[in-house]
Amino acid sequence: MNTSELIPKTIAFVKEKLNDAEGGHDWFHIERVYKNALLIAKDTDCDHTIVELGALLHDIADSKFHNGDETIGPKTARAFLEAQNVSEDIILHVVNIIENISYKGGNFEKKFSSVELDVVQDADRLDAIGAIGIARAFNYGGFKNRALYNPEIAPVTNMTKEEYKKNNAPTINHFYEKLLLLKDKMNTTKGKQIAEERHRYMETFLAQFYAEWEGVK
């Protein structure tokens, strides 16, 4: 396995697979997570090859766009890595990252742990908060034809994995059901530092949103 060739090949593979993906889960999402992961990895004692592969392949086939099938992503990643003659221990580690990275309502118990998973998970969660996180939330809400906000529909902050997957609430509710909770779920020191600022930005946005909704500003 030649790492200098593997990463460019992985990037090309992911770009092709996600060519027509929804705007919040497309190649540019992967690229941002990849950059976030590299930034966090600089300050973390970890295997950079596994971090890079995990970041690039973590959303190769998101179950949200495959009728809830959570096996497609790991299978797709494994098939690609096997075709590149990547060693089984690395493949298994990357697959474990893909299988354990998602939020899934916040009540999902990880069946695997590693520093590399911590790095990639933080990188992915950073892309769900701050200015980018806000843009992605409303992009996906529009994709699913969800209301922006409905004061009569309260957020549900303690959903099971299945409830979270079936949730169809207004986009503003998603801030309380996931986005505002991510700051306190970060794993790494660097991830926590970056999350603090992005979290404050979301709080400012929500204050402005409600003021405009009520015609106060």
Side-chain angles (χ1 to χ4, degrees), residues 176 202-212 217:
Y176 301 95
M202 292 192 297
E203 291 179 322
T204 301
F205 167 80
L206 288 171
Q208 180 71 21
F209 181 94
Y210 292 129
E212 292 181 13
K217 290 184 180 179

Side-chain angles (χ1 to χ4, degrees), residues 126 151 167:
L126 285 175
N167 185 30

Side-chain angles (χ1 to χ4, degrees), residues 29-45:
H29 162 62
I30 302 299
E31 185 178 42
R32 292 190 303 271
V33 172
Y34 180 62
K35 290 176 180 177
N36 287 339
L38 292 178
L39 179 62
I40 296 170
K42 285 182 183 178
D43 294 345
T44 309
D45 184 12

Side-chain angles (χ1 to χ4, degrees), residues 37 40-51 115-116 119:
I40 296 170
K42 285 182 183 178
D43 294 345
T44 309
D45 184 12
C46 61
D47 185 314
H48 285 231
T49 298
I50 290 173
V51 165
V115 175
E116 291 75 20
V119 171

